């Protein structure tokens, strides 16, 4: 059954038939999809422009004729800061997502549902079903899935190198059911009673927020970037950049002054002896607002630590140390760093509410003058995550 709430979400995007931008493929590319739209909506079904709000995200795409260009991959770069948080949500197994043999429906618990999807195929009526949180394993920060006509759709999230925004996509899409269009809606707060009719009952467990708007405000709109290729021309992508929703409302966020942000820092030297070598522990903490109906804490943009007068770096300490070149650190890529072990001068741990386990890694000494700042001293903070690396340069 399609409820009024679902119908409203569908119409907000499906009505974009005339509003979705017609795609202009890259040179020589086979057009894998003919139109695409994105929207972020609050409880009233209108654009959610409040920064840090937990809005519903809807992505709609219409694909090309199956005889010539069946879709193979469909991928969307979310604006930087737009995130989904699967931590604390229960997960559905692939076996339950598959459901009973031949049934064509999933057996996932309602407590694992994070959204809805409408899939239209060329050889049948549209199907409305749930989107569920899956165990991502060790190679991705999050995975979602749905079952349509005995075919599984898997959405894999990943962290983009460079800007560290989130991208989500389905790859090597099954041709068992050729897709004409798909509309995926991910809920801001999955346990909200507004979704009870969609899942045929209330959520069996209370839960926190899932989707969260960016926490930065600018005068210029942020953008979604959609890419798709076809089985007839794999790797030749059509690309579309969306800076407004189907109603023409630009993706501009405001209300940043309402976001909580109360960071604290604790710095402790490992030695309290005057004029003696010492290590340094620096602990930066940013309390997070995890209330499902509140606003998310503002993200950290920049951190600066000023050492006390007289505390310095000893030139003699560099004896025997290696240094990491730009080609070895590979900033802006997800390649594993190849820095010499002798360039490691400390450790770093990042605890984020978006991942169940903290990320741990190294502080690495950069090459003098051969670093992003062209400075005498610079550092790299490097941690390994599920399917990605975070590599942050630090100026000294």
């Amino acid at each position: 059954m399609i409820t009024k709430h679902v119908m409203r979400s569908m119409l907000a995007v499906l009505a974009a038939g005339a509003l979705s931008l017609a795609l202009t493929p890259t040179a020589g590319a086979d057009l894998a999809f003919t139109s695409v739209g994105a929207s972020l909506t609050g409880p009233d079904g209108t654009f959610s422009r409040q920064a840090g709000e937990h809005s519903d995200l809807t992505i709609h795409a219409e694909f090309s004729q199956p005889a010539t260009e069946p879709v193979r991959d469909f991928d969307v770069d979310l604006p930087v800061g737009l995130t989904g948080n699967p931590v604390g949500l229960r997960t559905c197994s692939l076996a339950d997502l598959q459901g009973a043999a031949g049934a064509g429906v999933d057996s996932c618990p309602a407590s694992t549902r994070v959204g809805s999807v409408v899939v239209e195929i060329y050889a049948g009526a549209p199907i409305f079903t749930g989107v569920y949180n899956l165990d991502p394993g060790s190679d991705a920060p999050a995975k979602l899935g749905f079952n349509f006509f005995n075919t599984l759709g898997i959405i894999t999230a990943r962290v983009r190198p460079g800007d560290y925004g989130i991208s989500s996509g389905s790859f090597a899409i099954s041709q068992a059911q050729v897709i004409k269009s798909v509309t995926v809606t991910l809920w801001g707060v999955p346990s909200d009673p507004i979704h009870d009719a969609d899942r045929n009952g209330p959520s069996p467990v209370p839960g926190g927020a899932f989707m969260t708007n960016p926490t930065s405000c600018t005068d210029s709109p942020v953008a979604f970037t959609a890419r798709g290729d076809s089985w007839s021309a794999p790797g030749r992508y059509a690309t579309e950049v969306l800076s407004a929703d189907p109603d023409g409302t630009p993706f501009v966020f405001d209300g940043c002054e309402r976001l909580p942000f109360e960071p604290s820092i604790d710095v402790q030297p490992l030695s309290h002896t005057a004029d003696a070598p010492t290590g340094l522990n620096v602990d930066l903490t940013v309390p997070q607002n995890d209330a499902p109906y509140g606003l998310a804490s503002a993200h950290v943009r920049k951190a600066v630590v000023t050492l006390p007068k007289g505390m310095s770096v000893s030139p003699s300490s560099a004896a025997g140390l290696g240094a990491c070149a730009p080609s070895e650190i590979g900033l802006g890529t997800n390649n594993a760093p190849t820095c010499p072990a002798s360039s490691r001068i400390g450790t770093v741990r990042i605890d984020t509410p978006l991942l169940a386990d903290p990320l741990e890694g190294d502080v690495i000494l950069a090459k003098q003058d051969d670093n992003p700042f062209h400075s005498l001293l610079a550092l790299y903070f490097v941690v390994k995550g599920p399917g990605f690396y975070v590599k942050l340069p630090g100026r000294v």
Side-chain angles (χ1 to χ4, degrees):
M1 179 180 68
I2 299 181
T3 66
K4 291 181 180 179
H5 173 64
V6 174
M7 182 62 71
R8 183 183 63 213
S9 298
M10 290 173 59
L11 290 177
V13 178
L14 294 176
L19 295 172
S20 294
L21 299 178
L23 299 184
T24 302
T26 53
D30 284 21
L31 190 56
F33 50 94
T34 56
S35 67
V36 63
S39 65
L40 290 163
T41 53
D44 61 356
T46 62
F47 173 60
S48 170
R49 68 169 59 252
Q50 170 62 55
E53 190 172 48
H54 305 301
S55 60
D56 292 352
L57 167 65
T58 299
I59 301 292
H60 169 74
E62 296 180 9
F63 299 100
S64 303
Q65 293 295 323
T68 56
E69 298 158 354
V71 61
R72 180 178 183 269
D73 304 321
F74 182 67
D75 192 28
V76 179
D77 293 343
L78 305 183
V80 174
L82 178 62
T83 59
N85 184 2
V87 176
L89 299 177
R90 298 183 181 181
T91 59
C92 177
S93 68
L94 282 176
D96 283 341
L97 185 64
Q98 185 67 61
V105 294
D106 62 79
S107 301
C108 292
S111 59
T112 67
R113 187 165 172 177
V114 295
S116 299
V117 60
V118 180
V119 182
E120 184 182 9
I121 64 173
Y122 280 92
I127 184 173
F128 169 77
T129 188
V131 179
Y132 299 92
N133 184 38
L134 306 179
D135 183 350
S138 60
D139 61 343
K143 285 185 180 180
L144 309 176
F146 54 92
N147 183 327
F148 64 103
F149 304 102
N150 285 316
T151 302
L152 300 189
I154 304 298
I155 303 171
T156 301
R158 64 191 189 280
V159 177
R160 296 193 298 271
D163 66 5
Y164 300 111
I166 304 298
S167 297
S168 296
S170 294
F171 307 99
I173 295 171
S174 173
Q175 298 181 76
Q177 300 288 347
V178 181
I179 300 174
K180 184 176 181 180
S181 70
V182 62
T183 304
V184 176
T185 298
L186 303 180
W187 296 333
V189 182
S191 62
D192 194 309
I194 198 173
H195 306 305
D196 288 353
D198 300 347
R199 59 174 156 248
N200 299 317
S203 175
V205 294
F210 180 54
M211 298 303 301
T212 303
N213 286 349
T215 65
S216 58
C217 299
T218 63
D219 294 331
S220 302
V222 299
F224 293 80
T225 300
R227 290 178 300 277
D229 67 349
S230 64
W231 282 102
S232 59
R236 298 169 63 185
Y237 291 94
T239 302
E240 181 66 21
V241 178
L242 302 170
S243 57
D245 69 9
D247 292 328
T249 306
F251 294 125
V252 176
F253 301 94
D254 55 26
C256 283
E257 71 282 356
R258 298 180 57 197
L259 303 183
F261 187 67
E262 298 179 353
S264 63
I265 191 168
D266 181 69
V267 182
Q268 294 292 335
L270 302 185
S271 171
H272 293 274
T273 302
D275 201 29
T278 182
L280 202 63
N281 284 340
V282 180
D283 187 2
L284 173 65
T285 302
V286 182
Q288 300 295 308
N289 180 19
D290 56 4
Y293 299 105
L295 299 178
S297 299
H299 299 164
V300 175
R301 175 179 177 270
K302 183 178 182 180
V304 178
V305 177
T306 302
L307 301 180
K309 185 177 181 180
M311 180 172 280
S312 62
V313 176
S314 171
S316 62
S317 67
L321 286 181
C324 189
S327 60
E328 295 171 323
I329 190 66
L331 294 177
T333 75
N334 262 331
N335 300 331
T338 58
C339 304
S342 57
S343 64
R344 179 178 178 271
I345 60 172
T347 61
V348 60
R349 169 181 166 132
I350 300 175
D351 191 356
T352 166
L354 301 182
L355 295 172
D357 300 316
L359 305 177
E360 297 185 348
D362 299 317
V363 181
I364 295 172
L365 182 64
K367 275 197 170 183
Q368 293 184 3
D369 301 316
D370 191 13
N371 56 66
F373 313 104
H374 305 290
S375 59
L376 181 66
L377 292 174
L379 306 174
Y380 299 118
F381 301 88
V382 180
V383 296
K384 176 71 170 69
F388 64 91
Y389 280 90
V390 173
K391 294 179 279 191
L392 302 176
R395 183 176 184 176
V396 179

